[in-house]
């Protein structure tokens, strides 16, 4: 095992331990590249966290249409939101409203 | 017929919505880079004027978005030109865009308050539409270098977002 592998293993174990207490909570990842959310539609459960990873060179947002959250996503950075309620929630980018996404949140 | 002749002559019609003009011969990558960069500079100048004149928070936020995004795209374009060893080359299309931008700012300068906000937002819709049409129909198809083409395509998506955002803003100011 190389030094890097060892570090990775340690980090991975660390995160597993961290999440063991929150039963079944998952992180659902959405990549932003080329001015689009991918995947644009995701399914998740209450208690899950959505993480957007902005790989573009411009700032984006993930802004819930119902006003529940507004995540600022600087270029090359990521941002998260914890899903608290079941239901379908549409979101978009305030700066580039041609960017659209949807999360189908089901009860636990 | 006139249209056929100009197309056959290889004329490239840009910015047909504003002061229409024709550029003979195919655009080169150094010219395309210069045109795209100039289009960004013009929108940044318009945004800076708006930031000085407006007291509407929505208009201010929009103008800040324009400065930030167009600066990012232009920085990216300059870095790409450097990487490719391309020197952006001034041309009639760039000159015309810059001149139209100046004229528009002179017009807007005489307005103030809500009248300025409305005119700025409406011009942003028109301007982005014009630039997007030029990117889609002329600049992207004529770009030879795949990296330049790809950056222009990303730019088009960003600016389409701006166009939509500007439309919403303009509609809210009526
Ligand atoms: Cu965006």
């Amino acid at each position: 095992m190389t030094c890097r592998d060892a570090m990775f293993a340690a980090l991975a174990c660390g995160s597993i331990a961290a999440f063991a207490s929150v039963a079944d909570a998952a992180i659902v990842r959405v990549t932003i590249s080329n001015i689009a959310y991918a995947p644009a539609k995701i399914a998740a459960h209450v208690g899950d966290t959505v993480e957007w990873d902005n790989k573009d060179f411009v700032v984006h947002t993930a802004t819930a249409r119902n006003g529940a959250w507004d995540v600022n996503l600087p270029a090359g950075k990521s941002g998260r939101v914890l899903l608290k309620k079941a239901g379908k929630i549409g979101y978009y980018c305030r700066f580039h409203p041609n960017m659209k996404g949807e999360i189908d949140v089901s009860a636990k | 017929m006139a249209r056929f002749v100009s197309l056959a002559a290889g004329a490239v019609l840009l910015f047909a919505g504003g002061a229409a003009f024709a550029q003979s011969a195919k655009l080169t990558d150094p010219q395309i880079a210069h045109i795209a960069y100039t289009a960004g500079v013009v929108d940044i100048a318009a945004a800076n004027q708006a930031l000085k004149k407006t007291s509407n928070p929505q208009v201010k936020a929009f103008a800040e978005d324009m400065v930030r995004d167009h600066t990012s795209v232009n920085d990216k374009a300059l870095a790409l030109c450097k990487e490719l060893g391309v020197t952006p080359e001034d041309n009639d299309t760039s000159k015309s865009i810059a001149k139209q931008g100046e004229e528009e700012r002179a017009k807007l300068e005489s307005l103030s308050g809500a009248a300025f906000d409305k005119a700025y937002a409406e011009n942003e819709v028109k301007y982005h539409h014009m630039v997007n049409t030029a990117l889609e129909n002329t600049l992207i198809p004529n770009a030879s270098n795949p990296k330049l083409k790809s950056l222009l395509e990303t730019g088009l998506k960003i600016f389409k977002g701006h166009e939509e955002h500007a439309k919403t803003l303009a509609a809210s100011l009526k």
Side-chain angles (χ1 to χ4, degrees), chain B residues 10-99:
Chain B
V12 178
L13 276 172
L14 276 177
F15 301 97
F21 59 92
Q23 169 131 9
S24 53
K26 188 184 183 294
L27 291 166
T28 63
D29 280 1
Q31 290 171 333
I32 290 169
H34 198 281
I35 293 166
Y37 189 86
T38 305
V41 168
V42 165
D43 202 53
I44 292 168
N48 282 327
Q49 180 186 41
L51 289 173
K52 262 188 242 151
K53 290 180 74 87
T54 193
S55 48
N56 180 310
Q58 265 100 34
V59 173
K60 187 168 175 281
F62 177 83
E64 281 167 351
D65 295 345
M66 293 308 106
V67 172
R68 192 192 57 235
D69 275 8
H70 285 282
T71 302
S72 300
V73 174
N74 273 2
D75 286 353
K76 199 86 184 165
L78 281 189
L80 179 63
C81 284
K82 207 174 160 192
E83 181 196 320
L84 300 174
V86 164
T87 308
E89 183 194 309
D90 201 1
N91 58 85
D92 290 348
T93 305
S94 288
K95 287 194 177 92
S96 171
I97 296 166
K99 187 164 163 276

Side-chain angles (χ1 to χ4, degrees), chain A residues 32 35 37 58-61 93-99, chain B residues 69:
Chain A
I32 301 177
I35 327 299
Y37 304 109
V58 288
V59 188
H60 296 298
T61 73
C93 171
R94 278 189 289 112
F95 305 140
H96 316 104
N98 48 341
M99 295 172 65
Chain B
D69 275 8

